[in-house]
């Protein structure tokens, strides 16, 4: 956060006279051009109409809020210089499941509040595909757009009320989301995103007017929409790179975002290469599908004593467990493997699971929390089907990392830092992810959790003019690796479908921790 | 008119593939950037939304209409490449009295039609001041804006219907008007235009969205609003300079626009200096006030036989006379002077006027058309009060020309060309204007009538990209001469209040034509 804001500028104009009869707008624009060292300052016509009164009310001194719009700048608000209204910015992480908002004081970069809401498009299905199909039905696209904009406007109201400001005080918004969410947000047809050759309507939406999008903030506010690389590599990733500063590093590092899709970027200041799992056939559904969203009562950490096989389950806010989130699932699988309760193929081992094993509708289930301890009064279980799916997902993730690093001639062990972004609220424990062979067996201190890097990247764009200018540079520098057409991918994927890997030598730290399962009683 | 249009571009895009999955918008923008040799091409979000369908309907070939927006370009429409809809431009002369529209085919610069209507703001008074005062009453500004926009929309409908196109086919508009009319058109408060130190809200409105202004053309159309120099030197003059090519000449020339105000520009390719009469106290009301607008039955030419003093009055379309327009007034005064019916102070000479003289309410009137020949059944007269006003106006005009040329060290006789713009439809006869000493006594072939140069300049902006780029250059190159603060102005003005001038030696051609009035019977 910077202390002197790039977006708030005070100007003291020379009042007009017979010798200097420059128009109000031209006078202000000339001063702002000088102040901002730019060739272009735009002012909306309706804001122009307010200039004469505002300038004369305060002896031609004014507090201007400005924003970057590609090469130039745009005036997003003007007020008297003494005792002006607050000027706020709003960063939005436009998640498939959850939309998170951060309200920022543009004058000093201070956080004024945070809000989140479930993406109301969930009514049409938890996964993106169902929504994109709904968008093709008559009126469907508008319905989906209106849902997310409506949710956003209600959240803005709540956020502003609790921060003691008006929505009209918000004059800059930045939005980071994946390509599909961004298209629905903008009301753009996603039809060709999901059909070969997978073409978005736009990759660089740029800076738009909030009013044109239906967002109830200042009528002069601008919305920076993070660009995407393609249909499966979105603005949320670009925001994540911006926040991690991967693009400024001297040595190569990896950024892993295990969201609805598994998206990965490798690089440093000279090059960036990225790929996304959803484009490949292996990761359909993704890791996220298995877990629910974070919230009170959601299991986010699991420990199993390898000797007693006693479960120690942690639920958020210590509430009775209601379900299990992504990081909880990875923890669970890792602990099951280390306690010898699943084998190297991820199959439940009857002899080791004991009472925890149940057959429901012919499918083997592991009871994670018994009915008497759960919030629902039902057993909280995890099925063999879900385990199989997790194994495919983790194999895909590892294969993506392996393929990406090998493509640039590096070894996974050469990675100095692995940034782990989590857009779920529950963050993956690298130790567990290593234990199941989802992430490479690097020293734990090389794993750096980023939190909601999409939101933080969006927030960075509201506190730094340099950051805004970096966004398009990052986008243009990324080489996108198409996994669909990579011949080695499927071979590597098959090898990675064991826990932790067919080549256990790659995971020395896991081997030492594991308790061998009993030899009898494997799953059938 | 250019044959290959700057605003219509055909692009043939490479259809997307798995190897080239650039987004639709980015693909189009890249092609247009290359085609237009520019760094910036903007596309409205709502137009962006139409791209996928339009591009796929015609195998990624498209006919694009584009427009210049400051440094860059903007897409104003896209259609299939084969059999597209017409793409039209609309040039508007936003006159105080009359609004004139020219519809242009953007593909070839051909004129598709012309329309005109009386400015509906005339309901609040024929002069600008009454309207500007009305703009300060509650709701008044909106009322005035709505009146002119409403009139424009109705005229656009008529014009398009007769040309066989739709208003939605119009994707570029250019508007030239004086500073006050431009402010009312944009809905900008003109309050400070008419109060010292006379400050407009904006001098460079630039390129705006037609939809934002309420103009019913294509929702993606752009409106180029000609810039003004100051409160009394408007975009109509800039359009006039653009059309006359004064700014490209090697030798100095003068552009005179005798509209509601008397506005004058002197210069050539290296410099331009301008001034406007309304800023000075002498020209209040202006020449225009005296005449009515051109139209059927309006007297536009007057001849008086110096021997018989018989009047030969020409009315437009040979209809029975209803009134007299600006050029008719100047003709009348010149002919009265040459026939010895007014003296060198502009006073009616009783002995020479004979039957033509009448006293109405104590004021001497000249009967121009007797009741039996007029359309109204009333005498069509011109009073001594109007003559006195005309003498002040012509004196002011001459003094402006004299002051302007002397300021740059030139003599009036050194002017190679004098462009005379007429925004009334009736054009001033230079011979008459010289006879009364309104324009300098130069050989008649140096006077070049420009017609409605405001409209023609606006039209030029729709047929030439180079012309658009020249507009701001012209504006920025003009030095504005403030007559209010010129110490010699009033002395020169007093000397010019005689017909043709105190120094008759300056008007050798007039002296020889004139019949001396009888020595007795001067006006009292």
């Amino acid at each position: 956060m910077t202390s002197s804001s790039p977006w708030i500028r005070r100007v003291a104009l020379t009042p007009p006279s017979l010798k200097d009869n420059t128009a109000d707008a031209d006078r202000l624009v000339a001063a702002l051009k000088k102040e901002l060292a730019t060739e272009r300052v735009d002012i909306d016509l309706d804001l122009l109409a307010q200039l004469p009164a505002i300038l004369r009310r305060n002896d031609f001194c004014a507090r201007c809020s400005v924003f970057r719009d590609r090469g130039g700048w745009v005036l997003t608000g003007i007020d008297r210089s003494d005792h002006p209204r607050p000027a706020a910015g709003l960063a939005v992480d436009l998640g498939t499941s959850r939309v998170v908002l951060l309200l920022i004081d543009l004058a000093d970069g201070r956080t004024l509040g945070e809000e989140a809401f479930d993406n109301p498009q969930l009514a049409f299905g938890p996964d993106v595909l169902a929504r994109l199909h709904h968008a093709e039905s008559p009126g469907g696209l508008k319905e989906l757009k209106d849902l997310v904009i409506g949710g956003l406007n209600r959240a803005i109201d709540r956020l502003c009320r609790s921060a003691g400001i008006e929505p009209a005080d918000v004059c800059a918004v930045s939005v980071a989301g994946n390509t599909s969410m961004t298209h629905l947000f903008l009301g753009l047809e996603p039809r060709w995103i999901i059909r070969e050759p997978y073409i978005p309507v736009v990759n660089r939406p740029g800076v738009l007017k909030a009013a044109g999008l239906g967002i109830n903030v200042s009528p002069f506010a601008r919305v920076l929409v993070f660009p995407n690389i393609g249909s499966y590599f979105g603005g949320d990733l670009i925001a994540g790179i911006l926040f991690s500063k991967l693009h400024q590093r001297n040595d190569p590092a990896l950024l892993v975002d295990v969201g609805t899709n598994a998206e990965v970027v490798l690089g440093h200041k000279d090059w960036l290469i990225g790929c996304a799992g959803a484009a490949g056939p292996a990761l359909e559904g993704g890791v996220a599908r298995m877990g629910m969203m974070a919230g009170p009562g959601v299991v986010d950490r699991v420990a199993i004593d390898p000797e007693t096989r006693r479960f120690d389950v942690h639920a958020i806010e210590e509430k009775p467990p209601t379900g299990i989130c992504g990081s909880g699932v990875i923890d669970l699988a890792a602990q099951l493997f280390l306690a010898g309760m699943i084998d190297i193929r991820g199959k439940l081992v009857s002899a080791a699971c004991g009472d925890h094993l149940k057959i429901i509708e012919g499918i083997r289930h592991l009871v994670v929390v018994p009915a008497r301890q759960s919030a629902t009064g039902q057993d909280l279980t995890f099925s063999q089907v879900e385990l199989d799916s997790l194994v495919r997902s983790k194999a895909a993730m590892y294969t993506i990392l392996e393929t990406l690093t090998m493509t640039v001639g590096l070894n996974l062990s050469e990675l100095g830092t692995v940034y782990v972004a989590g857009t779920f609220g529950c963050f993956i424990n690298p130790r567990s992810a290593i234990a199941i062979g989802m992430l490479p067996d690097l020293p734990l201190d090389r794993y750096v959790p980023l939190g909601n890097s999409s939101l933080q990247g969006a927030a960075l764009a509201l506190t730094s003019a340099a950051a805004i200018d970096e966004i398009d540079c990052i986008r243009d520098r990324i080489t996108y690796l198409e996994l669909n057409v990579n011949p080695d991918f499927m071979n590597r994927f098959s090898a990675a479908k064991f826990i932790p890997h067919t080549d256990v030598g790659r995971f020395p730290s896991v081997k030492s921790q594991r308790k061998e399962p009993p030899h009898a009683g494997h799953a059938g």
Side-chain angles (χ1 to χ4, degrees), chain A:
Chain A
M1 304 290 161
T2 56
S3 58
S4 106
S5 167
W7 315 125
I8 303 297
R9 305 288 179 139
R10 283 184 156 74
V11 290
L13 310 178
T14 312
S17 65
L18 278 176
K19 299 265 175 213
D20 173 14
N21 57 4
T22 306
D24 288 348
D26 301 64
R27 187 176 299 272
L28 178 64
V29 165
L32 286 173
K33 279 185 177 176
K34 200 173 160 196
E35 166 78 21
L36 300 165
T38 182
E39 282 300 302
R40 178 165 180 162
V41 175
D42 291 345
I43 307 182
D44 286 356
L45 184 60
D46 290 341
L47 187 51
L48 214 60
Q50 300 183 6
L51 286 190
I54 292 173
L55 289 178
R56 281 168 185 78
R57 198 184 300 144
N58 199 195
D59 204 21
F60 286 83
C61 293
R63 197 258 348 236
C64 298
S65 56
V66 292
F67 201 54
R68 205 98 171 81
D69 184 0
R70 280 187 278 183
W73 292 75
V74 59
L75 184 70
T76 58
I78 181 165
D79 202 351
R80 50 190 306 161
S81 197
D82 53 337
H83 313 297
R85 298 264 332 149
L90 182 77
V92 180
D93 167 36
L94 193 68
T96 305
S97 311
R98 193 115 175 117
V99 179
V100 190
L101 293 75
L102 203 62
L103 191 69
I104 292 163
D105 187 330
L106 289 183
D108 54 14
R110 199 165 40 99
T111 296
L112 297 174
E114 188 167 337
E115 264 278 342
F117 60 96
D118 289 354
N119 191 327
Q121 297 169 344
L122 285 167
F124 294 98
D127 64 352
V128 177
L129 210 59
R131 297 182 214 177
L132 299 196
H133 281 140
H134 182 72
E136 294 181 16
S137 64
L141 177 58
K142 183 170 187 308
E143 193 176 5
L144 287 161
K145 176 189 154 80
D146 289 350
L147 275 174
V148 70
I149 298 288
L152 198 57
N153 283 335
R154 287 187 294 276
I156 290 170
D157 268 350
R158 291 194 301 274
L159 191 51
C160 287
R161 202 174 310 124
S162 68
I165 69 168
E166 298 289 329
D169 296 329
V170 176
C171 46
V173 181
S174 65
V175 177
N178 68 40
T179 307
S180 296
M181 287 305 106
T182 300
H183 272 59
L184 297 181
F185 172 75
L186 297 175
L188 298 175
E189 195 182 359
R191 184 180 180 84
W192 306 103
I193 287 183
I194 49 174
R195 287 176 172 82
E196 211 181 291
Y198 314 110
I199 307 298
V201 179
V202 65
N203 277 332
R204 297 175 184 85
V207 173
L208 303 162
K209 289 193 190 185
L213 294 171
I215 304 175
N216 292 338
V217 290
S218 159
F220 312 115
R222 289 301 190 275
V223 182
L224 167 76
V225 181
F226 274 74
N228 36 264
I229 303 287
S231 287
Y232 298 103
F233 197 102
D236 48 351
L237 261 285
I238 307 278
I241 297 168
L242 181 69
F243 177 62
S244 71
K245 306 206 188 305
L246 185 67
H247 61 296
Q248 296 176 347
R249 290 178 62 97
N250 290 314
D251 60 320
L254 197 65
L255 168 60
V256 180
D257 189 342
V258 193
T260 308
N261 304 318
E263 291 142 339
V264 181
V265 191
L266 173 67
H268 58 50
K269 63 180 165 53
D270 294 332
W271 52 265
L272 293 167
I273 181 165
C275 64
L283 250 195
E284 265 170 41
V287 176
R289 195 169 217 176
M290 243 152 324
M292 61 189 293
M293 286 183 293
V298 172
V299 172
D300 62 344
R301 290 202 305 270
V302 177
I304 302 173
D305 186 306
E307 300 305 323
T308 64
R309 293 190 178 122
R310 206 178 150 267
F311 280 45
D312 180 8
V313 169
H314 176 265
I316 296 172
E317 295 180 16
E318 324 286 327
K319 294 267 165 50
T322 56
I324 184 164
C325 73
S327 66
V329 166
I330 292 166
D331 250 22
L332 174 66
Q335 293 291 309
L336 289 173
F337 179 68
L338 295 178
M341 294 170 76
I342 56 175
D343 65 15
I344 57 164
R345 296 172 303 147
K347 301 295 180 190
L348 291 161
V349 179
S350 306
C353 290
D355 289 353
H356 282 282
L357 198 69
K358 273 201 176 173
I359 312 289
I360 303 171
E361 292 176 5
I363 294 164
R364 299 154 73 93
H365 282 68
L366 182 93
V367 177
V368 183
V369 179
R372 65 176 186 284
Q373 291 170 7
S374 84
T376 56
Q378 307 269 312
D379 286 340
L380 204 165
T381 63
F382 200 71
S383 75
Q384 185 62 57
V385 174
E386 290 173 299
L387 268 169
D388 293 348
S389 175
L390 175 66
V391 170
R392 280 196 303 276
S393 291
K394 80 93 190 170
M397 172 57 88
Y398 184 83
T399 311
I400 290 172
L401 300 184
E402 189 186 3
T403 304
L404 199 60
T405 46
M406 294 197 69
T407 298
V408 297
L410 285 175
N411 243 306
L412 284 167
S413 61
E414 292 176 75
L415 297 171
T417 304
V418 178
Y419 297 105
V420 183
T423 52
F424 288 91
C426 321
F427 301 122
I428 288 167
N429 179 349
R431 190 189 299 267
S432 296
I434 293 169
I436 62 169
M438 180 176 177
L439 294 178
D441 195 1
L442 300 173
L444 287 179
D445 60 7
R446 296 201 197 166
Y447 285 96
V448 177
L450 281 184
N452 187 341
S453 58
S454 169
L455 181 67
Q456 294 302 334
L460 205 54
L462 296 180
T463 49
S464 156
I468 282 207
D469 293 337
E470 283 173 29
I471 295 170
D472 279 335
C473 299
I474 292 173
R475 191 227 163 266
D476 293 341
R477 272 175 52 202
I478 295 178
T479 305
Y480 186 76
L481 182 68
E482 191 61 69
L483 295 176
N484 281 359
V485 294
N486 191 298
D488 297 329
F489 188 86
M490 284 315 291
N491 291 337
R492 293 199 185 108
F493 178 61
S494 297
K497 277 204 289 192
F498 289 77
I499 301 177
H501 195 274
T502 317
D503 177 7
V504 288
R506 297 187 184 191
F507 289 84
S509 82
V510 181
K511 198 162 184 279
S512 62
Q513 292 175 66
R514 183 166 195 237
K515 182 181 169 70
E516 285 297 313
H519 279 279
H522 276 203

